[in-house]
Amino acid sequence: MDAVKILVTAKRVEDPESKIKVKPDGSGIVQEGLKYKMNPFDEIGVEEGLRLVAKHTGEVVVVSIGGKEVQEQLRQALAMGAQRAVWVNHTGPLDQLGIAGLLQKVVEKEKPDIVVLGKQSIDDDQNQVGQYLAEFLGWSQATFASKVESLESEQEKNKVPALAVSADGKSVRVVREVDNGLATLECALPAVVTTDLRLNLPRYTSLPGIMKAKSKPIEELTPQKLGVDVTPKIQVLKMSSPPPRKAGIKVADVAALVDKLHNEAKVV
Amino acid sequence: MPTILIVAEQQPDGNLRKATLNAISAGRTLAEKAGGELHLVLLSKDPSKVTEELKGLGAKAVHTAAAPEFEHYLAEVFAPVIAGLAQELKADYVGQASTAMGKDLMPRVAARLKAAMATDVMGFNGSGADVTFTRPMWAGNVFAEVKLTTPVKVFSVRATEFPAAQGGQAAAEVKTFSPKLEPSKTKFVDFKEVKSARPELTEARVVVSGGRGTKGDFKEIEALADELGAAVGASRAVCDAGWVPNDLQVGQTGKVVAPQLYIAAGISGAIQHLAGMKSSKTIVAINKDPEAPIFQVADYGLVADLFKVLPELRQALQKLK
């Protein structure tokens, strides 16, 4: 088949290993000491895009929305091997409707064959944008893309793409992780795919990759230029810490454990 | 009067997915707070059996549509039909359980209705037109109170936070409708089910989970689960390794469980795993590493080798009987 064009997203999020604390007034989270990185599901999306292009030839374009700092995530995707980047410069609040609206305009401009997004970002945990985008575009959707092999398989070591584009280039076959098993869909292209964790193991960036990324182009856009009203329709009124669990105890042996479960917790 | 529409989900085996009962109970809570009435909808190849069950669950009406195209769920087939019914009913709220289907379908329905959406809703606050939603963020490390400002509001329900709706209520009116179906750009190819004789993970009273510490040997985990009539769960690491099927994964990116008893064996307790089981009533941790974060949420911790301790635990439980 001919070359494929893949658009991938790279959201900047708090490092999943960071300790997230709510500000005392509930207006947000404490920013000090936080590290940031690319959303892990997006990293998987970038990797899958690169594998598809390695197999079929073509181009991976990465997009991120946010202030100047998101260029760090765009550079990471470029260092992994993406050809160029689109930066939607926006610093105000943004919800999933706004994000999907902006991505729709970028897609209409770029005309990719497949848009690959993470299934959810690990900050908002909404799991919505890919589905909104597919509906806005009137495209086929396959969420929670996974694969049959494990992440320790030969296919994975050889970086074989899990998404299978048909020989005629008209459709893509996607294995989805659903309740009680795996479902397979055949999506007409162009299509929107969202990644689950078991789609692939993303590559690390190499030093030559990082050097090369510095000269790759980043196009700057804004919501105004794209003509999208991003006024949030989802307002977070207040944040709080989940109620803490009562401190537990350590027991000495199995007999003590069974005694506690039977006589104290009364669960066995 | 506000109208709340809850989407019912049929499993591939034809039965109602249990999480639908929790979503209906959430819908009833919302109907009380908002001062509205509850409607249910089911799209199915054969709705008859599930409709009977849905009738007695306290809704005003159960809307059903039957078509061969509904045999295998596809977002592009279901979303226009659900959105169309929501418009016809002038629904103010549309919701479904946060199952794989709910998470796939609800945002697409919301997009069609130009609605904002809240995922994994754990509770409702306020009353009348000012109802807000509580939902988790950052892997459950933050609870957020969220207001949706669009005329129609869409949500998915974290099933473990609501009791299952009980039957025996006044019979709802059953209304059948025949939607015009749009051609789908997506085709269903196949479904490979992971069959198990054990209870379903998200519904089990007891869950026994294994992590890296099992080194891929789940025999003792399974034996203990069978002794307790429990479901088997797993950490992300063991699913990634392909040691157990993906659908056993408990965590932010897997399933959220809240059983009476959760036994974590050989699981360190990464943030992402805790997000999926922290609401369990009693948590037991068995781990060789006394510094493992899992001990911070465990009610009872045992610092020991799981291969030595699990058989002992199984025998001790047998003696209890």
Side-chain angles (χ1 to χ4, degrees), chain A residues 6-268:
Chain A
I6 315 284
L7 184 74
V8 295
T9 52
K11 185 179 179 180
R12 180 183 174 87
V13 297
E14 289 75 18
D15 186 307
E17 303 302 323
S18 322
K19 186 101 183 118
I20 302 292
K21 275 187 267 174
V22 178
K23 285 185 195 165
D25 66 357
S27 64
I29 60 164
V30 177
Q31 303 285 327
E32 285 140 39
L34 285 181
K35 284 189 200 137
Y36 292 86
K37 59 172 291 183
M38 191 194 300
N39 183 39
F41 292 99
D42 285 351
E43 267 187 322
I44 292 166
V46 174
E47 175 65 37
E48 196 62 21
L50 293 172
R51 290 182 187 192
L52 282 164
V53 163
K55 186 174 174 190
H56 299 284
T57 76
E59 185 185 33
V60 173
V61 181
V62 58
V63 56
S64 192
I65 306 169
K68 204 168 183 353
E69 63 279 4
V70 304
Q71 290 193 16
E72 204 183 306
Q73 280 62 49
L74 292 173
R75 291 285 176 207
Q76 186 195 334
L78 295 173
M80 286 171 77
Q83 274 76 14
R84 55 191 180 84
V86 175
W87 166 38
V88 182
N89 185 355
H90 176 72
T91 49
L94 199 60
D95 65 8
Q96 284 66 35
L97 274 164
I99 297 166
L102 292 170
L103 290 178
Q104 182 190 0
K105 294 295 173 187
V106 173
V107 168
E108 284 166 1
K109 222 167 138 296
E110 292 286 340
K111 300 184 175 56
D113 300 295
I114 307 176
V115 185
V116 187
L117 311 87
K119 78 164 178 180
Q120 75 193 67
S121 62
I122 57 161
D123 49 359
D124 290 327
D125 278 335
Q126 283 272 50
N127 196 333
Q128 295 177 3
V129 170
Q131 296 89 311
Y132 270 100
L133 180 62
E135 176 62 33
F136 286 169
L137 292 163
W139 286 11
S140 186
Q141 92 182 31
T143 55
F144 328 142
S146 189
K147 65 174 168 197
V148 183
E149 301 81 22
S150 80
L151 290 183
E152 298 182 348
S153 64
E154 280 305 306
Q155 271 103 325
E156 188 54 34
K157 282 178 195 129
N158 296 325
K159 299 202 186 305
V160 176
L163 303 184
V165 177
S166 63
D168 64 4
K170 289 207 164 92
S171 67
V172 62
R173 190 170 276 234
V174 186
V175 176
R176 303 180 57 227
E177 215 171 303
V178 298
D179 297 329
N180 307 69
L182 295 170
T184 304
L185 300 182
E186 185 93 29
C187 301
L189 294 180
V192 173
V193 175
T194 76
T195 63
D196 219 316
L197 281 167
R198 274 168 292 273
L199 187 65
N200 62 47
L201 281 177
R203 68 195 65 188
Y204 292 107
T205 50
S206 64
L207 190 59
I210 294 168
M211 297 311 289
K212 242 192 255 171
K214 288 184 177 164
S215 57
K216 288 180 179 174
I218 296 182
E219 181 188 2
E220 183 181 344
L221 296 168
T222 61
Q224 292 73 30
K225 262 189 226 165
L226 291 168
V228 180
D229 175 10
V230 292
T231 313
K233 310 286 195 299
I234 304 175
Q235 298 171 354
V236 178
L237 303 180
K238 194 173 181 289
M239 290 187 194
S240 58
S241 300
R245 281 188 80 90
K246 208 174 80 218
I249 55 159
K250 285 204 176 117
V251 293
D253 52 28
V254 167
L257 175 62
V258 173
D259 175 61
K260 291 286 183 194
L261 290 177
H262 188 61
N263 297 314
E264 196 175 84
K266 299 191 195 316
V267 283
V268 295

Side-chain angles (χ1 to χ4, degrees), chain B residues 36-311:
Chain B
E37 63 185 27
L38 177 66
H39 291 246
L40 307 178
V41 57
L42 174 71
L43 309 183
S44 170
K45 188 182 161 203
D46 175 16
S48 54
K49 188 171 135 201
V50 174
T51 306
E52 275 311 302
E53 194 177 345
L54 292 174
K55 257 163 65 177
L57 295 172
K60 173 139 197 308
V62 179
H63 305 266
T64 68
E69 289 87 344
F70 297 148
E71 182 176 5
H72 303 290
Y73 157 76
L74 285 173
E76 285 142 271
V77 178
F78 277 47
V81 179
I82 303 287
L85 177 69
Q87 280 167 326
E88 205 174 298
L89 294 172
K90 299 193 170 56
D92 303 87
Y93 297 91
V94 184
Q96 186 178 357
S98 273
T99 56
M101 174 183 163
K103 285 181 176 169
D104 186 60
L105 175 62
M106 281 297 102
R108 190 137 189 160
V109 170
R112 228 175 150 90
L113 295 169
K114 306 263 182 294
M117 175 175 168
T119 298
D120 268 341
V121 168
M122 308 166 73
F124 306 98
N125 324 289
S127 62
D130 293 323
V131 167
T132 60
F133 303 80
T134 303
R135 62 173 302 270
M137 295 172 75
W138 285 281
N141 286 299
V142 175
F143 288 176
E145 188 181 340
V146 171
K147 187 179 180 180
L148 306 181
T149 62
T150 47
V152 185
K153 297 156 181 59
V154 176
F155 62 97
S156 67
V157 173
R158 177 166 282 200
T160 54
E161 300 294 325
F162 296 89
Q166 302 285 327
Q169 315 270 335
E173 188 185 352
V174 176
K175 294 185 171 179
T176 56
F177 67 111
S178 312
K180 227 184 104 196
L181 298 182
E182 295 178 11
S184 172
K185 291 173 184 163
T186 308
K187 279 198 216 85
F188 171 87
V189 179
D190 69 15
F191 173 62
K192 286 198 183 66
E193 191 177 6
V194 179
K195 286 212 170 89
S196 171
R198 299 191 183 90
E200 216 277 307
L201 189 52
T202 54
E203 296 157 11
R205 203 187 69 87
V206 181
V207 174
V208 184
S209 279
R212 273 269 176 215
T214 62
K215 299 182 180 73
D217 180 359
F218 260 56
K219 275 205 267 330
E220 283 303 330
I221 301 281
E222 288 172 358
L224 179 62
D226 290 340
E227 178 60 35
L228 287 162
V232 169
S235 69
R236 189 191 143 190
V238 307
C239 296
D240 283 354
W243 293 344
V244 299
N246 298 345
D247 66 326
L248 296 189
Q249 191 200 319
V250 173
Q252 178 188 21
T253 54
K255 288 183 174 158
V256 178
V257 301
Q260 292 291 306
L261 174 60
Y262 188 88
I263 301 178
I267 294 179
S268 67
I271 293 169
Q272 104 87 23
H273 185 76
L274 300 183
M277 44 65 79
K278 255 195 316 195
S279 309
S280 305
K281 188 162 166 281
T282 300
I283 298 173
V284 171
I286 297 167
N287 205 300
K288 276 200 288 200
D289 175 11
E291 304 302 319
I294 191 80
F295 286 119
Q296 288 163 24
V297 301
D299 299 282
Y300 306 114
L302 183 54
V303 181
D305 180 358
L306 69 96
F307 290 105
K308 184 177 162 288
V309 164
L310 292 187

